Amino acid sequence: MSEVNLGKLKTSVADWKKIVDDLKVLSSRAKDGLLAKAEGAQWAGVNSDVTREFIRKTAKEFADAHAEASSIYQVLDDACTELVNLQKKLNTAIHSEAEGLGLRVSDVGGGKVHVFYPHDRTSDDKHTQGELDTAQALADRIADIIGQAREIDDSVSRALSKSHGNDEFNFGHENYKSLDDAQEQRAEELAKKSLQLYKEGKELSTEELRELQTLVKYNADDKEFATDLYRGLGPEGSLRFQAQLSLDGTAEGGEQLRLARSIQDSMGTALATATPGLGSAWTDELMRVGRSDLDLQMQGNQMVPKGYQVLGTLLRHGEYQKGFLDKVANDMIAYEREGGAWGRPDGRYAGMEGFGLNADKGGGRGWDPITGVLEAYGHNPDAATAFFHADVAGSGKQMSNLDYLMGMGADGKGEGARQWIPDMTSPMAAKEPTIYGKDALGHALEAATTGLPYDHGDVGKHPEHTEQQHDLMEQVVNAVAKDPKLADDTMGDSLGRMAGEYMPEVNSTLSQSNGFNDLYGSPTKFTDPLATAEFLDTVARNPDGYAEATMGAENYSAGLMHDVNAHPEKYAGTPAENLKHIAYNTGTVEGLLSGARHDEIVTGGQQSDKDYNEALQKRADMFNTAFGSTVGLATERVPIAGEVINGVTEVVVGEMVEGAERNTSAETAHTAGESSFNARQNALDQSANGLMVAGTPDGVDPTDMRRDVSQQTGEGFDHGKELQREAKDHYQRNPPK
């Protein structure tokens, strides 16, 4: 496609534009001239009746010819514009991006390409996983561009065929305002056909389902397409269509599931695109359907979900506007708090672990719609902050959505809080039923407290925390400190990133001297230093949480070291004094985190249950990939002179996981101690790296500065370990109820 000559298509578009203009003139003449004179003539008799009717038909054919030509022109013009843009993107990917990454692109036919690194004798053609992932990502993007071009070609072919109608004696068949119009009509036609077929115990052919999948995939972000599609299907039809495909796909598996999964993702994105244009009446009807039993109209089906359960699967995808999201989300919470329940499969579905409303690979089976709601808030920070602060009416005492969902309840001890259940089709068959909604809760809290979508990429400077975000974060800190069980294991990575994002506040709160508060900007301290220490203690007992928080602490420290030396006028005190204080405070945070990790290894290792070790291995697998993804996000927080200081090393992570998997107290005590020693040395090394990038202040001996920074880091680390022990003692004296 990169070398396809689109010149002929452009010429064809220009030719059809001229035809449209000419036919417009002829149509106008036929209507205002010939037809007008015939209709106004004083003419009677058999000849006049026959001739006048002939003139009417002739004038109509001219009008139909103009309409058909206009439809063809609009479709071709839109297609030409889109194909030109896609060709530019393809050429950029193949020639600029690939070459810049040292990659080559080879056409293997059938619209597929092979992206690879050329042979390099010096490296034995070995590449890191990150490099291989980069090559695959480029290959996927190129394939996506080619796929979109194919979809446009297919849509144009269908539209032209329908516009022409294959009747050489009659103009005027399907008329389209645009290519989007043609694509939407076809998608709606297939969706409605699917709804009708399921009523009859049938379903779309694989070819038809693949066509529908392609249409919604490449047009989900198009406002006109998405709005018309959802308006045409209506709220109830849209949810029924989605439920039918997901249940059928998750039951059958294979290609059916792959297509159902893709359609669900795209329909979710399309709904987010469409909601601003659908209007309040459409949303109100959606909410009515959401609280009601949804008749799926599938022969042999025994499931009758609520409409909101299906909506929850769509909300996982796309970026929804706050107004729409707040209406449906708060109504779901109200429905629950009024005593409403979400239907679940009974024993007839035992053993069908993959069966459900959610066709995604992960995130539960879709029976709990709140999971989808929270995933949606994870992509909309401003809406998430307001949502968690909101109070929703319901039976029992008043409480915020945060108290209800996180578990504090109306009295801070769980009264009236939500009872989370495993979102699984056969929860009794699972060794460790997972509360997928808690993972989504972590995502939403992350967005609500940091001001960034939980899965954001490189965003440059992170936003300052608002008063509402800080208040929410402090509520989470205090709640987890009071009851560590509120920090579900699936929330570990999110809580760790939240801790990393709030390192200015954490440092300011734990600082031993108010004289250096200006170092941390002007963050509002958390009111309870002990609760802050207890929160970090809990976060660090989770491998993902530990990695994220430590990475955040070290990178924040390195960036701050660089800034105090590069811009000393911004801070009170000398650069040397500031550097030593930063080293001490960072050492304190790392010591606290390391102490918690040490305890987790010891207590975990003393458990002989092999299920515990298997769970830790799963966690380790996630942990090892964190350096390319999860933890990588933390490194964006502090860019330093064009580069980023990496904090936790893979060696330390490996020690922690390896130590956690040992199941004898003797080995564990030794390994945990060794790992703790390595963590201390890592803190010293990273403070030295930070100083190296920051540079030595003018007039200060470099050797003395390195020695002082190392000493302060070590003393801070030891102080942090002591703080962690105090926090642990507090738990023992005040066990969570």
Side-chain angles (χ1 to χ4, degrees), residues 665-716:
S665 59
E667 282 187 313
T668 299
H670 171 75
T671 306
E674 182 182 346
S675 182
S676 186
F677 173 82
N678 289 340
R680 190 181 196 279
Q681 186 59 49
N682 181 71
L684 297 175
D685 291 343
Q686 294 309 319
S687 66
N689 290 340
L691 177 62
M692 179 181 65
V693 175
T696 304
D698 293 339
V700 178
D701 182 79
T703 302
D704 291 343
M705 192 74 255
R706 286 195 297 271
R707 182 196 63 229
D708 290 345
V709 164
S710 179
Q711 179 181 341
Q712 290 298 307
T713 301
E715 291 180 4

Side-chain angles (χ1 to χ4, degrees), residues 353-408:
E353 286 81 6
F355 177 73
L357 294 169
N358 176 33
D360 287 347
K361 290 182 179 179
R365 298 279 49 92
W367 309 116
D368 185 353
I370 300 302
T371 303
V373 166
L374 293 172
E375 289 291 357
Y377 276 118
H379 295 115
N380 190 325
D382 291 341
T385 305
F387 170 73
F388 281 115
H389 278 101
D391 292 321
V392 176
S395 60
K397 296 180 180 179
Q398 186 177 16
M399 71 185 90
S400 70
N401 284 338
L402 177 66
D403 293 330
Y404 175 70
L405 293 169
M406 194 161 179
M408 291 82 81

Side-chain angles (χ1 to χ4, degrees), residues 241-262:
F241 165 74
Q242 177 57 47
Q244 290 173 344
L245 286 188
S246 291
L247 292 177
D248 201 15
T250 56
E252 292 190 21
E255 179 72 355
Q256 184 85 2
L257 175 57
R258 187 191 72 79
L259 293 171
R261 180 176 294 148
S262 176

Side-chain angles (χ1 to χ4, degrees), residues 81-200:
T81 300
E82 292 193 27
L83 288 173
V84 167
N85 289 334
L86 287 173
Q87 189 177 58
K88 289 178 181 177
K89 290 181 180 180
L90 187 60
N91 282 322
T92 298
I94 292 175
H95 300 297
S96 299
E97 295 182 40
E99 292 176 9
L101 294 168
L103 291 164
R104 289 184 183 173
V105 180
S106 173
D107 184 358
V108 297
K112 297 180 180 180
V113 297
H114 176 48
V115 178
F116 61 97
Y117 291 95
H119 177 59
D120 182 1
R121 294 180 180 177
T122 62
S123 66
D124 294 327
D125 291 328
K126 293 182 179 179
H127 299 282
T128 66
Q129 187 60 49
E131 290 173 331
L132 295 175
D133 290 344
T134 297
Q136 186 59 51
L138 183 62
D140 291 344
R141 192 142 46 87
I142 291 173
D144 200 56
I145 293 171
I146 295 172
Q148 190 170 357
R150 278 185 159 183
E151 192 281 316
I152 290 172
D153 187 50
D154 291 342
S155 291
V156 169
S157 177
R158 286 191 300 267
L160 294 183
S161 177
K162 287 191 174 184
S163 288
H164 182 263
N166 296 318
D167 186 346
E168 58 183 303
F169 299 109
N170 184 29
F171 291 105
H173 298 278
E174 286 287 349
N175 293 321
Y176 303 107
K177 297 176 292 184
S178 63
L179 178 59
D180 286 340
D181 186 28
Q183 291 167 324
E184 186 282 323
Q185 284 192 34
R186 178 57 177 165
E188 185 178 333
E189 175 187 326
L190 287 170
K192 289 181 175 179
K193 180 179 180 181
S194 177
L195 288 166
Q196 182 58 40
L197 286 174
Y198 274 116
K199 272 186 178 182
E200 302 168 5

